[in-house]
Amino acid sequence: SFCTLLTMADATHSSQPDDASPSKTKKLSSEEVDGLTKRIYEDSMARKQRKVQEIEAKVYKTEEPKKLDKATIEASVTRQVNDEMERRKRKSEELKNKFYKDAAPKTMSSTEVEDSVRRIYSDAMRHKSDTLAKLEKRFTPEGPPSKKISDDERKSMADRLSKPKKKEMTTAEINKLYGF
């Protein structure tokens, strides 16, 4: 167990000659063993943590954040806002000059206005009627072609369909007809 390992380690590191008797080994109490294991574990974990921090410090070099005074920050914000506002004003003026040129208003005579309105209206109505015709043609069902039947043919068909083929039926046929 751990106690024997400690005694063996003490024996190998001691300055006594190898012929020392095993009866001189020191027995540790359970509290001492717990204290030793805790100290050894905590020391190894602290060493590991220090090594990880050293490696991280070498690999991920960080600088302390720069502290700016309030006046510098205010000046920077004011400059950025003013620059942006000036840029937007210039862009707005450029777009106004490009698209809203001062031109004399165009006027039309009353006959030109009437012709334009009539043309626009008639084009819209023609487009509407064309669309309705296409929709009607597409969605109106077409039945089979109809056939004209004379009165004699109609009467003969009605007689043939309304009268049974057989006038007398057997009991078995009646039962079969009604599912018995």
Side-chain angles (χ1 to χ4, degrees):
S1 76
F2 187 70
C3 293
T4 57
L5 289 175
L6 286 176
T7 57
M8 289 173 62
D10 289 341
T12 57
H13 292 298
S14 66
S15 60
Q16 297 176 355
D18 289 337
D19 58 350
S21 67
S23 64
K24 292 191 177 191
T25 60
K26 184 177 178 183
K27 294 286 185 184
L28 298 174
S29 67
S30 63
E31 294 89 24
E32 291 175 326
V33 170
D34 290 342
L36 280 172
T37 54
K38 185 176 181 184
R39 182 175 50 84
I40 291 171
Y41 173 75
E42 287 176 356
D43 287 349
S44 67
M45 291 306 288
R47 251 191 329 271
K48 182 179 178 183
Q49 187 66 28
R50 277 195 309 273
K51 284 182 182 179
V52 168
Q53 287 175 350
E54 289 172 4
I55 291 171
E56 284 180 351
K58 287 179 184 177
V59 173
Y60 304 112
K61 296 178 182 176
T62 58
E63 294 180 11
E64 287 294 319
K66 296 178 182 177
K67 304 283 183 182
L68 297 176
D69 59 339
K70 197 169 191 173
T72 308
I73 293 172
E74 287 295 323
S76 175
V77 169
T78 305
R79 178 183 48 80
Q80 290 174 6
V81 168
N82 290 341
D83 288 350
E84 180 64 21
M85 293 304 289
E86 287 176 21
R87 188 189 67 78
R88 287 184 184 188
K89 283 180 184 178
R90 277 195 316 267
K91 187 69 172 176
S92 175
E93 289 298 320
E94 288 173 8
L95 291 174
K96 281 181 184 177
N97 292 335
K98 183 177 179 181
F99 293 109
Y100 296 112
K101 296 177 183 173
D102 292 333
K106 296 180 181 178
T107 57
M108 295 174 68
S109 66
S110 61
T111 57
E112 289 175 330
V113 170
E114 278 184 34
D115 290 341
S116 177
V117 169
R118 189 175 295 116
R119 181 179 45 81
I120 292 172
Y121 177 76
S122 63
D123 287 349
M125 293 308 291
R126 184 173 44 253
H127 179 69
K128 183 178 178 181
S129 64
D130 291 345
T131 305
L132 286 175
K134 286 179 186 176
L135 289 174
E136 187 174 330
K137 181 180 178 186
R138 184 173 179 184
F139 293 109
T140 302
E142 293 180 12
S146 60
K147 179 179 168 185
K148 295 284 183 176
I149 300 175
S150 67
D151 283 341
D152 293 338
E153 287 177 322
R154 186 177 49 81
K155 285 180 183 177
S156 69
M157 283 184 198
D159 288 341
R160 182 173 46 89
L161 292 173
S162 65
K163 293 180 184 172
K165 292 180 182 178
K166 213 174 181 185
K167 296 194 181 202
E168 292 183 19
M169 296 181 91
T170 63
T171 310
E173 291 173 335
I174 293 172
N175 287 340
K176 185 178 177 183
L177 179 69
Y178 288 107
F180 295 122

